[in-house]
Short mmCIF file of all heavy atoms in Angstrom, two decimals:
data_model
loop_
_atom_site.label_atom_id
_atom_site.label_comp_id
_atom_site.label_asym_id
_atom_site.label_seq_id
_atom_site.Cartn_x
_atom_site.Cartn_y
_atom_site.Cartn_z
N GLY A 1086 -1.38 7.23 29.00
CA GLY A 1086 -0.83 6.21 28.21
C GLY A 1086 -1.87 5.61 27.27
O GLY A 1086 -1.52 5.34 26.00
N ALA A 1180 -1.11 -7.02 24.24
CA ALA A 1180 -1.83 -7.84 25.29
C ALA A 1180 -1.75 -6.89 26.57
O ALA A 1180 -0.67 -6.42 26.92
CB ALA A 1180 -1.22 -9.21 25.54
N GLN A 1182 -1.48 -6.35 30.41
CA GLN A 1182 -0.75 -7.13 31.45
C GLN A 1182 -1.02 -6.56 32.82
O GLN A 1182 -1.40 -5.30 32.94
CB GLN A 1182 0.82 -7.01 31.13
CG GLN A 1182 1.75 -7.59 32.16
CD GLN A 1182 1.62 -9.05 32.32
OE1 GLN A 1182 0.44 -9.62 32.75
NE2 GLN A 1182 2.64 -9.81 31.96
N GLN A 1183 -0.91 -7.41 33.84
CA GLN A 1183 -1.14 -6.85 35.15
C GLN A 1183 -0.11 -5.72 35.58
O GLN A 1183 0.92 -5.68 34.95
CB GLN A 1183 -0.87 -7.99 36.15
CG GLN A 1183 -1.79 -9.21 36.06
CD GLN A 1183 -3.18 -9.04 36.62
OE1 GLN A 1183 -3.54 -7.95 36.93
NE2 GLN A 1183 -3.94 -10.18 36.70
N GLU A 1184 -0.54 -4.90 36.42
CA GLU A 1184 0.34 -3.78 36.80
C GLU A 1184 1.70 -4.16 37.21
O GLU A 1184 1.92 -5.18 37.84
CB GLU A 1184 -0.28 -2.95 37.89
CG GLU A 1184 -1.43 -2.07 37.44
CD GLU A 1184 -2.75 -2.79 37.15
OE1 GLU A 1184 -2.84 -4.12 37.48
OE2 GLU A 1184 -3.76 -2.25 36.75
N GLN A 1185 2.74 -3.40 36.84
CA GLN A 1185 4.09 -3.78 37.24
C GLN A 1185 4.27 -3.77 38.68
O GLN A 1185 3.62 -2.98 39.45
CB GLN A 1185 5.10 -2.65 36.66
CG GLN A 1185 5.10 -2.68 35.18
CD GLN A 1185 6.01 -1.64 34.63
OE1 GLN A 1185 7.23 -1.82 34.20
NE2 GLN A 1185 5.54 -0.38 34.67
N GLY A 1186 4.93 -4.83 39.19
CA GLY A 1186 5.04 -5.04 40.67
C GLY A 1186 4.00 -6.03 41.20
O GLY A 1186 4.23 -6.78 42.01
N TYR A 1195 -1.75 -14.00 35.40
CA TYR A 1195 -0.41 -13.46 35.14
C TYR A 1195 0.61 -14.54 34.63
O TYR A 1195 0.61 -15.57 35.12
CB TYR A 1195 0.22 -12.82 36.43
CG TYR A 1195 1.54 -12.30 36.23
CD1 TYR A 1195 1.86 -11.06 35.64
CD2 TYR A 1195 2.67 -13.02 36.59
CE1 TYR A 1195 3.13 -10.62 35.36
CE2 TYR A 1195 3.93 -12.65 36.44
CZ TYR A 1195 4.16 -11.43 35.81
OH TYR A 1195 5.49 -11.00 35.47
N VAL A 1199 6.30 -11.63 27.14
CA VAL A 1199 7.30 -11.49 26.00
C VAL A 1199 7.94 -12.88 25.75
O VAL A 1199 7.99 -13.15 24.47
CB VAL A 1199 8.34 -10.48 26.45
CG1 VAL A 1199 9.50 -10.56 25.49
CG2 VAL A 1199 7.69 -9.08 26.42
N TRP A 1208 9.74 -8.94 16.81
CA TRP A 1208 10.21 -8.19 17.95
C TRP A 1208 9.19 -8.18 19.07
O TRP A 1208 7.95 -8.20 18.71
CB TRP A 1208 10.48 -6.78 17.53
CG TRP A 1208 11.06 -5.90 18.66
CD1 TRP A 1208 12.16 -6.10 19.39
CD2 TRP A 1208 10.63 -4.60 19.06
NE1 TRP A 1208 12.44 -5.16 20.30
CE2 TRP A 1208 11.53 -4.13 20.08
CE3 TRP A 1208 9.53 -3.78 18.73
CZ2 TRP A 1208 11.30 -2.87 20.74
CZ3 TRP A 1208 9.38 -2.57 19.41
CH2 TRP A 1208 10.27 -2.11 20.40
N ALA A 1209 9.62 -8.50 20.27
CA ALA A 1209 8.64 -8.49 21.38
C ALA A 1209 9.22 -7.75 22.58
O ALA A 1209 10.43 -7.89 22.90
CB ALA A 1209 8.34 -9.99 21.75
N ILE A 1210 8.36 -6.90 23.31
CA ILE A 1210 8.87 -6.03 24.30
C ILE A 1210 7.69 -5.76 25.23
O ILE A 1210 6.52 -5.64 24.80
CB ILE A 1210 9.44 -4.79 23.83
CG1 ILE A 1210 10.29 -4.08 24.86
CG2 ILE A 1210 8.41 -3.92 23.12
CD1 ILE A 1210 11.16 -2.96 24.38
N GLU A 1211 8.03 -5.49 26.51
CA GLU A 1211 6.96 -4.90 27.44
C GLU A 1211 7.32 -3.58 27.69
O GLU A 1211 8.49 -3.13 27.90
CB GLU A 1211 7.06 -5.78 28.76
CG GLU A 1211 5.97 -5.32 29.83
CD GLU A 1211 5.77 -6.31 30.94
OE1 GLU A 1211 5.16 -7.38 30.61
OE2 GLU A 1211 6.26 -6.04 32.07
N VAL A 1212 6.38 -2.73 27.73
CA VAL A 1212 6.61 -1.25 28.00
C VAL A 1212 6.66 -1.01 29.47
O VAL A 1212 5.84 -1.55 30.32
CB VAL A 1212 5.40 -0.44 27.44
CG1 VAL A 1212 5.59 1.07 27.73
CG2 VAL A 1212 5.08 -0.70 26.02
N THR A 1213 7.76 -0.49 29.90
CA THR A 1213 8.01 -0.32 31.38
C THR A 1213 7.97 1.11 31.82
O THR A 1213 7.90 1.47 32.95
CB THR A 1213 9.35 -0.92 31.74
OG1 THR A 1213 10.42 -0.23 30.95
CG2 THR A 1213 9.35 -2.47 31.57
N ARG A 1214 7.89 2.07 30.86
CA ARG A 1214 7.68 3.60 31.23
C ARG A 1214 6.80 4.12 30.15
O ARG A 1214 6.93 3.78 28.94
CB ARG A 1214 9.11 4.29 31.20
CG ARG A 1214 10.09 3.96 32.10
CD ARG A 1214 11.24 4.96 32.12
NE ARG A 1214 11.57 5.41 30.79
CZ ARG A 1214 12.01 6.67 30.52
NH1 ARG A 1214 12.24 7.59 31.49
NH2 ARG A 1214 12.32 7.01 29.28
N VAL A 1215 5.93 4.83 30.61
CA VAL A 1215 4.86 5.48 29.70
C VAL A 1215 5.63 6.42 28.69
O VAL A 1215 5.24 6.62 27.55
CB VAL A 1215 3.73 6.30 30.43
CG1 VAL A 1215 4.31 7.52 31.14
CG2 VAL A 1215 2.68 6.66 29.42
N GLN A 1216 6.72 6.99 29.26
CA GLN A 1216 7.56 7.93 28.34
C GLN A 1216 8.07 7.10 27.16
O GLN A 1216 8.40 7.79 26.10
CB GLN A 1216 8.74 8.56 29.19
CG GLN A 1216 8.20 9.54 30.14
CD GLN A 1216 7.93 8.98 31.43
OE1 GLN A 1216 7.82 7.64 31.61
NE2 GLN A 1216 7.78 9.71 32.57
N ASP A 1217 8.31 5.86 27.20
CA ASP A 1217 8.85 5.06 26.03
C ASP A 1217 7.78 4.64 25.11
O ASP A 1217 8.13 4.04 24.06
CB ASP A 1217 9.60 3.77 26.71
CG ASP A 1217 10.69 4.09 27.54
OD1 ASP A 1217 11.32 5.20 27.29
OD2 ASP A 1217 10.99 3.32 28.37
N LEU A 1218 6.51 4.83 25.44
CA LEU A 1218 5.41 4.32 24.57
C LEU A 1218 5.50 4.74 23.10
O LEU A 1218 5.41 4.00 22.17
CB LEU A 1218 4.04 4.56 25.19
CG LEU A 1218 2.91 3.97 24.56
CD1 LEU A 1218 2.96 2.45 24.59
CD2 LEU A 1218 1.63 4.37 25.27
N PRO A 1219 5.74 6.08 22.87
CA PRO A 1219 5.81 6.51 21.49
C PRO A 1219 6.89 5.86 20.71
O PRO A 1219 6.78 5.42 19.60
CB PRO A 1219 5.96 8.04 21.60
CG PRO A 1219 5.40 8.42 22.90
CD PRO A 1219 5.69 7.22 23.74
N ARG A 1220 8.18 5.78 21.34
CA ARG A 1220 9.21 5.17 20.55
C ARG A 1220 8.99 3.71 20.31
O ARG A 1220 9.39 3.17 19.28
CB ARG A 1220 10.58 5.34 21.53
CG ARG A 1220 11.71 4.69 20.88
CD ARG A 1220 13.01 5.05 21.61
NE ARG A 1220 13.45 6.33 21.39
CZ ARG A 1220 13.71 7.29 22.32
NH1 ARG A 1220 13.60 7.04 23.66
NH2 ARG A 1220 14.08 8.51 22.07
N ILE A 1221 8.42 3.00 21.25
CA ILE A 1221 8.13 1.62 21.13
C ILE A 1221 7.07 1.39 19.95
O ILE A 1221 7.36 0.49 19.19
CB ILE A 1221 7.68 0.91 22.37
CG1 ILE A 1221 8.87 0.86 23.44
CG2 ILE A 1221 7.05 -0.46 22.24
CD1 ILE A 1221 8.54 0.38 24.85
N ILE A 1222 5.95 2.17 20.03
CA ILE A 1222 4.98 2.00 19.00
C ILE A 1222 5.59 2.29 17.55
O ILE A 1222 5.36 1.53 16.67
CB ILE A 1222 3.75 2.83 19.27
CG1 ILE A 1222 3.06 2.43 20.48
CG2 ILE A 1222 2.83 2.81 18.00
CD1 ILE A 1222 2.37 1.16 20.44
N PHE A 1238 5.08 -7.87 18.85
CA PHE A 1238 4.37 -8.04 20.09
C PHE A 1238 4.65 -7.06 21.12
O PHE A 1238 5.87 -6.80 21.38
CB PHE A 1238 4.35 -9.44 20.66
CG PHE A 1238 3.72 -9.61 21.99
CD1 PHE A 1238 2.37 -9.76 22.06
CD2 PHE A 1238 4.45 -9.49 23.19
CE1 PHE A 1238 1.69 -9.80 23.31
CE2 PHE A 1238 3.80 -9.60 24.39
CZ PHE A 1238 2.43 -9.74 24.42
N LEU A 1239 3.62 -6.41 21.69
CA LEU A 1239 3.86 -5.49 22.85
C LEU A 1239 3.07 -5.89 24.07
O LEU A 1239 1.81 -6.17 23.87
CB LEU A 1239 3.41 -4.07 22.52
CG LEU A 1239 4.03 -3.39 21.26
CD1 LEU A 1239 3.55 -2.01 21.12
CD2 LEU A 1239 5.55 -3.40 21.24
N SER A 1240 3.65 -5.94 25.21
CA SER A 1240 2.98 -6.21 26.50
C SER A 1240 2.65 -4.81 27.16
O SER A 1240 3.60 -3.96 27.25
CB SER A 1240 3.82 -7.08 27.41
OG SER A 1240 3.20 -7.09 28.68
N LEU A 1241 1.35 -4.59 27.58
CA LEU A 1241 1.01 -3.30 28.00
C LEU A 1241 0.52 -3.44 29.48
O LEU A 1241 -0.65 -3.68 29.70
CB LEU A 1241 -0.02 -2.71 27.15
CG LEU A 1241 0.28 -2.44 25.66
CD1 LEU A 1241 -0.94 -2.07 24.85
CD2 LEU A 1241 1.33 -1.40 25.61
N PRO A 1242 1.40 -3.18 30.43
CA PRO A 1242 0.91 -3.20 31.85
C PRO A 1242 -0.15 -2.08 32.13
O PRO A 1242 -0.13 -1.05 31.56
CB PRO A 1242 2.18 -2.98 32.71
CG PRO A 1242 3.26 -3.32 31.70
CD PRO A 1242 2.80 -2.98 30.37
N GLY A 1243 -1.03 -2.44 32.98
CA GLY A 1243 -2.14 -1.60 33.35
C GLY A 1243 -1.68 -0.19 33.86
O GLY A 1243 -2.23 0.83 33.59
N ASP A 1244 -0.59 -0.11 34.62
CA ASP A 1244 -0.17 1.19 35.14
C ASP A 1244 0.46 2.01 34.06
O ASP A 1244 0.29 3.28 34.18
CB ASP A 1244 0.91 0.94 36.30
CG ASP A 1244 2.05 0.13 35.83
OD1 ASP A 1244 1.81 -0.97 35.31
OD2 ASP A 1244 3.24 0.49 36.02
N ILE A 1245 1.03 1.46 33.05
CA ILE A 1245 1.54 2.17 31.89
C ILE A 1245 0.26 2.87 31.19
O ILE A 1245 0.25 4.08 30.83
CB ILE A 1245 2.21 1.33 30.86
CG1 ILE A 1245 3.58 0.79 31.65
CG2 ILE A 1245 2.63 2.10 29.65
CD1 ILE A 1245 4.51 1.74 32.06
N LEU A 1246 -0.77 2.20 31.04
CA LEU A 1246 -1.92 2.70 30.23
C LEU A 1246 -2.61 3.75 30.99
O LEU A 1246 -3.13 4.72 30.39
CB LEU A 1246 -2.88 1.54 29.91
CG LEU A 1246 -2.47 0.47 28.93
CD1 LEU A 1246 -3.40 -0.69 28.93
CD2 LEU A 1246 -2.29 1.08 27.52
N ASP A 1247 -2.53 3.72 32.30
CA ASP A 1247 -3.17 4.78 33.12
C ASP A 1247 -2.35 5.90 33.54
O ASP A 1247 -2.81 6.95 34.11
CB ASP A 1247 -3.85 4.03 34.35
CG ASP A 1247 -5.20 3.38 34.02
OD1 ASP A 1247 -5.83 3.78 33.05
OD2 ASP A 1247 -5.42 2.40 34.81
N ALA A 1248 -1.06 5.74 33.43
CA ALA A 1248 -0.09 6.84 33.80
C ALA A 1248 -0.17 7.91 32.73
O ALA A 1248 -0.56 7.73 31.59
CB ALA A 1248 1.35 6.18 33.85
N ALA A 1250 2.02 11.54 31.22
CA ALA A 1250 3.27 12.22 31.11
C ALA A 1250 3.25 13.19 29.93
O ALA A 1250 2.33 13.10 29.05
CB ALA A 1250 4.36 11.18 30.95
N LEU A 1252 4.27 13.87 26.54
CA LEU A 1252 4.74 12.84 25.49
C LEU A 1252 4.86 13.64 24.19
O LEU A 1252 3.99 14.42 23.82
CB LEU A 1252 3.82 11.72 25.47
CG LEU A 1252 3.63 10.92 26.70
CD1 LEU A 1252 2.59 9.77 26.33
CD2 LEU A 1252 4.95 10.27 27.07
#
Side-chain angles (χ1 to χ4, degrees):
Q1182 176 61 295
Q1183 301 282 11
E1184 285 75 4
Q1185 295 178 100
Y1195 175 80
V1199 169
W1208 186 51
I1210 193 170
E1211 182 166 285
V1212 184
T1213 57
R1214 297 193 317 151
V1215 69
Q1216 291 87 349
D1217 295 331
L1218 189 60
R1220 178 172 286 127
I1221 287 173
I1222 296 289
F1238 173 77
L1239 305 183
S1240 171
L1241 299 172
D1244 55 308
I1245 298 296
L1246 293 170
D1247 284 331
L1252 299 177

